């Protein structure tokens, strides 16, 4: 039996979601006639504290639609140096929107307000115009690190002072809210626009939500169409998204508990583990003098799947299909591999 900890994107829809898909009332969403999509967008807007929302095919599409809507060719976007929108989206901001990215090093993924303020361009014809600040919460490459309400507010206050909108890549924003014990609106209130993913820990098979004020979403709908995101009877995909938002949020704390159990087990095996706040565990392999890709191959040979994050860093991601028994099995396999490495050394 394989234990797939590569990502929470590997989650399968629940039985309730499958029934909802089969029974969904649908129409042509390009004509705005799909009642299930309309219901999902209204629900998402309410949950995120925004005027309106748009169902998009993926988190990347949602982020890029946001950049295209906020900016024009030649503008500059401030983002954290290892943020998903900069690191993992195929250079789409430059390729599609024609914008320049100014990256800043964060503290576990969180931008410091003073750094953001310093990076905002002055009124000078030699400079591009700073038109957008992008945040990420939780921060993937920082190990699922939570950006706190206070940190969000700090950057938002600077942005408001300079009249610059804030977009949040909140692919795992509900993980951040659950980890902090706050309503998701406590975080999304310090954004102008926000993207949240339905198909990670929330277990829907497809899709993300982009939310903001009504005028922004109307413009974003136009950009979504340009990018080929105008789906037709999309209610079959939106139906599990409704279940994701109404039934799957609170159970995310189970994923966080499994991640803590996994991290504790790795530490007992004398592996170096980065701080764990949500459902991502980053483990260093330099202490055992083995490259991440090599250790991953040995794990895969024994049915454990994860991903490399650096030459000596492996990411394990917990989700609905990883229970306590799975955690125990992963730790057993890792212990065997470490023992084998010692014997061969």
């Amino acid at each position: 039996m394989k234990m797939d900890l590569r990502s929470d994107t590997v989650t399968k829809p629940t039985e309730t979601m499958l029934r909802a898909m089969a029974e969904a009332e649908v129409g042509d969403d390009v004509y705005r006639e799909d009642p299930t999509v309309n219901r999902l967008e209204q629900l998402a807007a309410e949950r995120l504290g925004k005027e309106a929302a748009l169902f998009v095919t993926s988190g990347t599409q949602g982020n890029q639609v946001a950049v295209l809507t906020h900016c024009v060719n030649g503008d500059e976007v401030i983002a954290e140096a290892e943020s998903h929108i900069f690191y993992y989206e195929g250079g789409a901001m430059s390729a599609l929107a024609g914008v320049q990215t100014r990256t800043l090093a964060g503290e576990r993924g969180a931008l410091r307000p003073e750094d953001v303020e310093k990076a905002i361009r002055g009124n000078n014809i030699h400079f591009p115009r700073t038109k957008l600040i992008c945040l990420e919460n939780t921060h993937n490459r920082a190990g699922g690190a939570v950006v706190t309400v206070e940190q969000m507010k700090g950057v938002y206050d600077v942005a408001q002072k300079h009249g610059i909108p804030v977009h949040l890549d909140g692919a795992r924003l509900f993980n951040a809210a659950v980890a902090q014990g706050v309503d998701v609106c406590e975080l999304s209130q310090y954004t102008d626009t926000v993207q949240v993913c339905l198909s990670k820990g929330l277990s829907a098979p497809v899709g993300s939500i982009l939310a903001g004020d009504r005028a922004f979403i109307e413009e974003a709908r136009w950009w979504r169409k340009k990018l080929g995101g105008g789906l037709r009877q999309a209610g079959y995909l939106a139906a599990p998204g409704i279940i994701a938002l109404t039934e799957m949020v609170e159970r995310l704390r189970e994923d966080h508990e499994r991640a803590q159990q996994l991290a504790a087990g790795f530490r007992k095996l004398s592996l170096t583990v980065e701080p764990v706040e949500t459902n991502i565990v980053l483990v260093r392999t330099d202490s055992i003098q083995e490259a991440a890709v090599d250790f991953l191959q040995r794990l895969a040979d024994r049915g454990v799947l994860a991903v490399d994050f650096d030459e000596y860093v492996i990411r394990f991601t917990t989700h609905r299909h990883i229970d306590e028994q799975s955690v125990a099995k992963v730790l057993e396999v890792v212990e065997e591999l470490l023992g084998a490495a010692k014997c061969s050394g």
Side-chain angles (χ1 to χ4, degrees):
M1 181 179 108
K2 284 191 176 180
M3 287 155 290
D4 195 341
L5 292 95
R6 290 174 299 172
S7 176
D8 41 13
T9 60
V10 304
T11 50
K12 303 291 197 304
T14 66
E15 290 296 323
T16 304
M17 289 178 177
L18 292 173
R19 286 196 300 272
M21 293 171 74
E23 299 168 2
E25 184 182 0
V26 298
D28 191 321
D29 182 49
V30 173
Y31 292 121
R32 307 194 192 187
E33 294 175 354
D34 191 302
T36 306
V37 173
N38 294 342
R39 190 158 59 250
L40 170 62
E41 291 176 344
Q42 181 180 355
L43 171 65
E46 290 171 356
R47 289 297 305 269
L48 294 166
K50 302 300 182 188
E51 288 182 351
L54 184 68
F55 182 52
V56 293
T57 60
S58 68
T60 294
Q61 186 179 76
N63 286 336
Q64 296 307 319
V65 165
V67 173
L68 285 159
T69 307
H70 280 298
C71 302
V72 298
N73 189 284
D75 286 342
E76 186 166 79
V77 175
I78 294 174
E80 203 277 332
E82 295 204 326
S83 59
H84 190 283
I85 199 169
F86 172 73
Y87 205 97
Y88 286 123
E89 299 190 9
M93 283 195 286
S94 59
L96 302 177
V99 299
Q100 175 171 297
T101 310
R102 187 165 191 181
T103 57
L104 306 176
E107 293 179 344
R108 285 185 51 76
L111 290 177
R112 292 175 288 266
E114 58 270 26
D115 292 344
V116 173
E117 184 147 38
K118 186 177 179 180
I120 293 172
R121 301 285 189 166
N123 186 17
N124 186 313
I125 62 170
H126 297 90
F127 298 156
R129 294 170 177 170
T130 304
K131 283 298 181 70
L132 185 63
I133 299 165
C134 291
L135 306 178
E136 182 179 343
N137 197 7
T138 64
H139 194 287
N140 181 20
R141 285 192 60 80
V146 168
V147 182
T148 67
V149 174
E150 293 74 19
Q151 288 171 320
M152 294 280 298
K153 182 179 186 300
V155 173
Y156 186 71
D157 287 346
V158 169
Q160 289 278 290
K161 174 182 171 182
H162 293 273
I164 299 169
V166 172
H167 172 68
L168 174 63
D169 175 1
R172 296 184 176 91
L173 186 61
F174 284 99
N175 290 86
V178 167
Q180 294 182 76
V182 300
D183 189 275
V184 71
C185 285
E186 292 293 308
L187 295 161
S188 59
Q189 69 177 316
Y190 297 119
T191 70
D192 295 278
T193 57
V194 54
Q195 177 270 125
V196 296
C197 192
L198 303 171
S199 63
K200 290 188 168 68
L202 298 182
S203 297
V206 174
S208 287
I209 289 292
L210 177 62
D213 66 39
R214 206 168 302 282
F216 174 89
I217 292 299
E218 285 301 306
E219 184 75 4
R221 189 179 296 274
W222 186 73
W223 277 110
R224 185 188 70 172
K225 177 64 176 174
K226 279 179 170 286
L227 296 180
L231 305 179
R232 299 301 175 173
Q233 287 70 41
Y236 294 119
L237 301 178
I242 293 173
I243 305 299
L245 291 178
T246 56
E247 299 183 13
M248 303 300 289
V249 173
E250 286 306 311
R251 66 145 308 282
L252 292 174
R253 67 181 73 254
E254 297 174 21
D255 300 342
H256 300 174
E257 290 168 5
R258 298 294 91 77
Q260 292 291 346
Q261 291 167 1
L262 197 60
F266 286 145
R267 292 188 184 105
K268 286 182 180 178
L269 297 173
S270 300
L271 289 169
T272 301
V273 182
E274 301 294 334
V276 177
E277 297 182 62
T278 53
N279 68 322
I280 292 175
V281 181
L282 298 185
V283 180
R284 299 198 62 86
T285 62
D286 44 0
S287 62
I288 59 172
Q289 299 180 326
E290 184 169 6
V293 291
D294 295 331
F295 197 74
L296 282 169
Q297 185 57 60
R298 295 205 292 143
L299 284 172
D301 291 343
R302 289 161 176 78
V304 176
L305 303 180
V307 295
D308 58 302
F309 246 34
D310 208 334
E311 184 178 4
Y312 292 104
V313 179
I314 293 175
R315 185 188 78 169
F316 295 84
T317 306
T318 56
H319 50 78
R320 188 168 60 85
H321 304 312
I322 301 299
D323 56 15
E324 287 191 6
Q325 184 178 356
S326 302
V327 170
K329 182 61 178 175
V330 170
L331 293 173
E332 179 183 322
V333 169
V334 171
E335 186 173 19
E336 289 175 2
L337 292 179
L338 293 177
K342 287 179 182 177
C343 290
S344 63

